[in-house]
Amino acid sequence: MTGFPGLPAWGVWWACVGIAVLGCLAGCRHPANPAPASPTPPVSTTVTPTAAAAVTLPVVYVGSFDNHLYALDTITGRPRWTFRADTSLQSSPTVAYGLLYVGSNDFNLYALDATTGAKRWAFKTGAYIFSSPVVANGIVYIGSQDGNLYAINAGTGDLIWRYATKFGFYSSPAVANGLIYIGGQDGNLHALDAATGNLRWRFGTSSYTVSSPVVSGGTVYIGSQDTRLYAVDAATGKRRWAFKTGAAVDSSPVVANGVVYVGSTDGALYALDAATGSQRWLVQTDGVVYASPVVANGLVYLASRDHWLYALDAATGKRRWAFRTNYDIYSTPVVTARTIYVGSNDFNVYALDALTGAQRWAFPTRGIVVSSPVLAQPNVMAGQYPSISGAGQLSLTP
């Protein structure tokens, strides 16, 4: 294989696996939208949330294609503990109730003790899990490439219900107002009752959807490979507006201060008026943008396949600083008032000064890092996040 300078042969193979779904979907027309199967009956319509357990370790969690999930000390970058799955980890972890939830390419959703890394339980699906879990009201919601969205008891790992389609879920779910929203590779945005899994409505795009939805102000925002970002009424599924970019929108949007930010495979980051869809500004990178933006500290942080992580003024798009890694970046960062953490396909996890971009430390894994990091303590995180990131799910956790 060629086109992956600096990566060993096995790293090239994993890099290809990591973008296989995006590559095979890009530029394709979506299939006819079949009616989804009825959800399995819920085991229980009420779930008692697991008793909350505070995580006191100052750690950042991140998965790697080397089969490991790492708990790294935020000051030194050294591992506090590691967990080994049977194969690579592409899903972004989420922290809730003192547990860490993460999907794996070995088909499992794992629940780990967030302090020790000990496995509490594992739930087996029928295919890869690229989707990141969301936890709300004692339930973990996760999509799988087997075509199912699962609702699982967060404490026990027991299935509550599943919603079946004929195509997989690369997208991560979002929860708001008693509904679950998720984009499907059938080209639809699905809205389901969170307690029962019953379909409330579907909104169809004209191509595959791997972007993850974000809900803000009664509107669901989601990208599609039909080159558009859509704004959809969260209650009815009616389209409010659509904005056309120059290529597929696989990046997941984020909303902050009345502006929706989203990347495109045309290499650009777009800042749009959240109410109207009109363009505020555009910044062009030199590579495809699969990563999703984060807004914090008055800045938009965005990674690109041009190997750079950019910090842009959220109001104007003016570049404040940029940090170059040794290869493409798909990972979405997590940010505090002082530090930003991000993974790279050069196998490293980086800690950078959030305001200057100066490197504080780098931890080398033995695989590409497309998983988005998440911190143990939600109160130290700053900003707004997309639902592809575990950090974007934490505010939804009781």
Side-chain angles (χ1 to χ4, degrees):
M1 299 179 186
T2 60
F4 293 86
L7 286 181
W10 65 270
V12 172
W13 186 84
W14 275 122
C16 291
V17 171
I19 61 174
V21 171
L22 291 177
C24 72
L25 293 179
C28 299
R29 295 177 61 85
H30 79 88
N33 295 334
S38 298
T40 55
V43 173
S44 172
T45 56
T46 59
V47 176
T48 302
T50 304
V55 183
T56 59
L57 291 178
V59 296
V60 58
Y61 305 103
V62 67
S64 170
F65 266 59
D66 67 4
N67 301 6
H68 288 85
L69 187 140
Y70 297 92
L72 304 177
D73 187 283
T74 57
I75 304 301
T76 66
R78 298 189 183 99
R80 291 290 190 118
W81 55 258
T82 62
F83 170 79
R84 181 180 176 87
D86 291 335
T87 187
S88 57
L89 294 165
Q90 186 167 342
S91 169
S92 302
T94 300
V95 183
Y97 313 126
L99 299 178
L100 190 69
Y101 302 91
V102 67
S104 173
N105 289 359
D106 65 11
F107 302 5
N108 282 296
L109 171 68
Y110 290 102
L112 313 175
D113 186 292
T115 299
T116 67
K119 184 173 74 174
R120 293 287 185 86
W121 52 258
F123 179 89
K124 191 83 167 183
T125 74
Y128 302 120
I129 300 178
F130 302 140
S131 177
S132 302
V134 59
V135 186
N137 301 316
I139 302 175
V140 186
Y141 302 94
I142 188 80
S144 171
Q145 286 295 300
D146 66 8
N148 291 295
L149 173 66
Y150 294 92
I152 301 162
N153 187 299
T156 66
D158 295 325
L159 177 67
I160 298 172
W161 55 255
R162 68 181 179 90
Y163 171 80
T165 72
K166 293 185 178 180
F167 299 90
F169 289 108
Y170 195 102
S171 174
S172 303
V175 181
N177 302 316
L179 296 181
I180 303 293
Y181 304 91
I182 190 168
Q185 288 162 215
D186 60 0
N188 288 300
L189 170 63
H190 303 257
L192 315 173
D193 184 281
T196 65
N198 291 324
L199 180 68
R200 290 288 187 85
W201 52 258
R202 286 187 301 158
F203 174 82
T205 75
S206 25
S207 190
Y208 297 94
T209 302
V210 298
S211 172
S212 299
V214 65
V215 185
S216 178
T219 302
V220 187
Y221 302 90
I222 191 168
S224 172
Q225 291 200 340
D226 68 6
T227 74
R228 290 172 173 84
L229 178 75
Y230 291 94
V232 181
D233 186 281
T236 66
K238 182 179 179 180
R239 188 172 88 171
R240 291 185 169 174
W241 54 258
F243 178 86
K244 183 174 174 59
T245 72
V249 182
D250 295 329
S251 172
S252 301
V254 64
V255 181
N257 301 317
V259 181
V260 56
Y261 302 89
V262 71
S264 169
T265 59
D266 63 10
L269 173 69
Y270 294 87
L272 311 174
D273 186 283
T276 66
S278 60
Q279 182 175 308
R280 296 279 188 90
W281 51 259
L282 175 153
V283 170
Q284 188 71 44
T285 75
D286 292 327
V288 168
V289 175
Y290 285 139
S292 302
V294 170
V295 183
N297 306 322
L299 302 175
V300 183
Y301 300 96
L302 180 77
S304 171
R305 289 196 67 187
D306 65 8
H307 307 185
W308 291 88
L309 174 70
Y310 297 93
L312 309 170
D313 186 281
T316 65
K318 181 180 179 181
R319 185 189 299 186
R320 294 285 187 86
W321 55 258
F323 177 82
R324 182 178 174 85
T325 71
N326 297 313
Y327 205 63
D328 303 354
I329 310 175
Y330 291 2
S331 175
T332 298
V334 64
V335 186
T336 73
R338 297 184 56 195
T339 309
I340 180 169
Y341 304 91
V342 69
S344 172
N345 289 9
D346 68 6
F347 298 5
N348 287 294
V349 180
Y350 293 93
L352 313 173
D353 186 286
L355 299 181
T356 68
Q359 180 176 317
R360 292 186 168 170
W361 52 256
F363 173 77
T365 75
R366 292 197 279 181
I368 65 175
V369 181
V370 301
S371 172
S372 300
V374 67
L375 290 158
Q377 289 86 27
N379 63 322
V380 304
M381 290 186 296
Q384 302 296 319
Y385 294 82
S387 56
I388 187 67
S389 166
Q393 309 288 22
L394 289 175
S395 62
L396 302 173
T397 304

